[in-house]
Amino acid sequence: DEPGLLALGKYFLERSGQFSVDTINSAPAALPLQKAKRYDAIISDYQMPGMDGIELLRKIRSSGSTIPFILFTGRQREEVIIQALDEGADFYLQKGGEPKSQFAELSHKIRYAVMRRRAEERLKQYEAQLRQVLGSLPGRVRNCENPVRFLKNRSGPRKKT
């Protein structure tokens, strides 16, 4: 994106202390950086030198990455919005207007997308752990409809001592 807008965005996002922002002025330059360093989200313009934001998104998603991706652009064409969301963008935000409210909305979208992605990752971990535990149970328990209730009922009444 334009250097002035990159600097303005960096200033507004970092001033709260919640974000650390690296700015890159082209999509091709962003690809190796994204692989070399761990980022929580990518915010991209649509129109950039060397590659547009949709192509950047495609390359990132085709590598298997699920990093939150927000297309933040001045382009308001409906086909760009639809294409971005179809390719896996988490959000599309229109540039323009008053910078303070514009970057407040962007920071909200970033926090939400990162929180959602982390929750999805934790859910996948919990599901894998549950599958592992259920896989280690005897066949009768593993194949029943409600294994937790089955285990409670199998313990029987307690003996008095």
Side-chain angles (χ1 to χ4, degrees), residues 25-145:
N25 61 3
S26 76
L31 287 170
L33 190 61
Q34 190 250 337
K35 292 177 183 176
K37 187 175 175 185
R38 188 186 182 295
Y39 290 96
D40 291 318
I42 295 174
I43 293 81
S44 174
D45 193 2
Y46 172 73
Q47 221 168 353
M48 296 179 291
M51 177 188 314
D52 68 36
I54 303 289
E55 186 60 29
L56 174 63
L57 174 59
R58 274 192 205 113
K59 288 187 181 290
I60 289 169
R61 292 293 184 248
S62 71
S63 74
S65 175
T66 59
I67 187 169
F69 190 100
I70 299 170
L71 195 64
F72 185 54
T73 183
R75 306 287 281 189
Q76 194 174 351
R77 294 191 343 236
E78 190 174 314
E79 65 269 10
V80 172
I81 298 168
I82 292 169
Q83 189 178 15
L85 296 174
D86 284 349
E87 294 290 342
D90 292 86
F91 292 106
Y92 171 92
L93 286 174
Q94 179 73 37
K95 280 186 209 170
E98 197 270 315
K100 188 175 181 179
S101 61
Q102 175 179 285
F103 288 107
E105 182 179 5
L106 177 60
S107 93
H108 171 74
K109 298 291 187 194
I110 294 168
R111 282 192 305 276
Y112 180 81
V114 169
M115 181 182 68
R116 185 179 68 197
R117 194 64 42 125
R118 287 179 180 162
E120 289 169 354
E121 288 170 0
R122 280 194 306 273
L123 181 60
K124 286 180 185 177
Q125 289 172 348
Y126 294 146
E127 287 174 345
Q129 289 171 348
L130 182 59
R131 273 193 222 87
Q132 185 178 9
V133 167
L134 291 176
S136 68
L137 294 174
R140 289 183 304 176
V141 175
R142 189 173 48 240
N143 295 327
C144 80
E145 190 174 310

